[in-house]
Amino acid sequence: MENKVEKKGKRKLIILVLVLIIIVCVGVYLGYSLFLKDKLGSEGVSAKQQQLQQTQAVQAGQTTQTITQQIVSSKTYELSKDDILVNLADTDSSRYLKVNIYLGYDSKKLDSELEEKQPIIMDTVINVLRTKKAADISSAKGLETVKVELIQRINPLLQKGQINNIYFSNVLVQ
């Protein structure tokens, strides 16, 4: 008799634990699908898709409006208050690039992160630009390739969002 009572008690406990596990699983699924999926999907996936489209467009050599020209960012961040001056990789003579760079993005969360990581981003930009030759900067297609490369090198440094465009102003190759 005591054995039957113990078995019924164990069965009830097992059923209760299974029901709780099912409720927790359903709650996790609903929480992910309603809240996190939209937030992660809108920033992470779309930025990766934009990068892929930009790379494919540059490789395909689009002569009409390029992908970065099609993307208009809602916010911009000026990378440096002064113009950026770097040596170019030309071997025949000393060539310099003087440029002002703005990073385009859409996420409000990215404001503070760009400010915090400005020196790291600046170093990355300078390292990329120093590998370029004057011919890479002079043509529109070359400048587009530089933009895509900069986006691909900067985005892995960011955690709160992604940049979706690079804007150059005052480009001077000397």
Side-chain angles (χ1 to χ4, degrees), residues 84-99 101 125-139 142-143 146 149-150 168 170-174:
I84 299 169
L85 181 65
V86 295
N87 295 328
L88 294 175
D90 290 304
T91 55
D92 56 342
S93 64
S94 294
R95 306 293 299 255
Y96 302 97
L97 171 66
K98 184 178 178 182
V99 66
I101 298 177
V125 168
I126 289 171
N127 287 333
V128 169
L129 293 177
R130 290 188 72 184
T131 64
K132 303 303 172 196
K133 295 184 177 187
D136 298 334
I137 307 293
S138 298
S139 70
L143 206 54
V146 172
E149 184 177 351
L150 286 171
F168 292 120
N170 303 326
V171 179
L172 176 65
V173 178
Q174 191 173 5

Side-chain angles (χ1 to χ4, degrees), residues 5-39:
V5 171
E6 287 179 21
K7 284 184 180 181
K8 284 185 180 181
K10 286 182 181 180
R11 283 184 188 162
K12 287 182 181 180
L13 183 62
I14 291 172
I15 291 172
L16 181 63
V17 168
L18 289 174
V19 168
L20 287 175
I21 289 173
I22 290 172
I23 290 172
V24 168
C25 290
V26 168
V28 168
Y29 172 76
L30 289 175
Y32 172 76
S33 64
L34 294 176
F35 301 107
L36 292 179
K37 187 176 179 183
D38 290 339
K39 290 180 182 177

Side-chain angles (χ1 to χ4, degrees), residues 105 108-117 160:
Y105 61 100
K108 292 179 182 180
K109 298 176 187 176
L110 204 51
D111 291 333
S112 62
E113 186 176 15
L114 287 173
E115 191 68 36
E116 291 169 10
K117 294 188 176 178
K160 296 180 181 176

Side-chain angles (χ1 to χ4, degrees), residues 42-43 46-47 50-51 54 68 71-79 81 101-116 121 151 154-155 158-167:
S42 66
E43 291 178 5
S46 65
Q50 287 175 357
Q51 285 179 359
Q54 289 169 350
T68 55
I71 298 171
V72 177
S73 306
S74 61
K75 294 182 158 219
T76 58
Y77 175 77
E78 186 175 13
L79 195 54
K81 299 297 179 197
I101 298 177
Y102 295 85
L103 307 176
Y105 61 100
D106 293 325
S107 174
K108 292 179 182 180
K109 298 176 187 176
L110 204 51
D111 291 333
S112 62
E113 186 176 15
L114 287 173
E115 191 68 36
E116 291 169 10
I121 295 169
I151 290 169
I154 293 170
N155 277 339
L158 303 173
Q159 296 172 346
K160 296 180 181 176
Q162 302 287 294
I163 62 169
N164 56 17
N165 209 339
I166 300 279
Y167 301 101

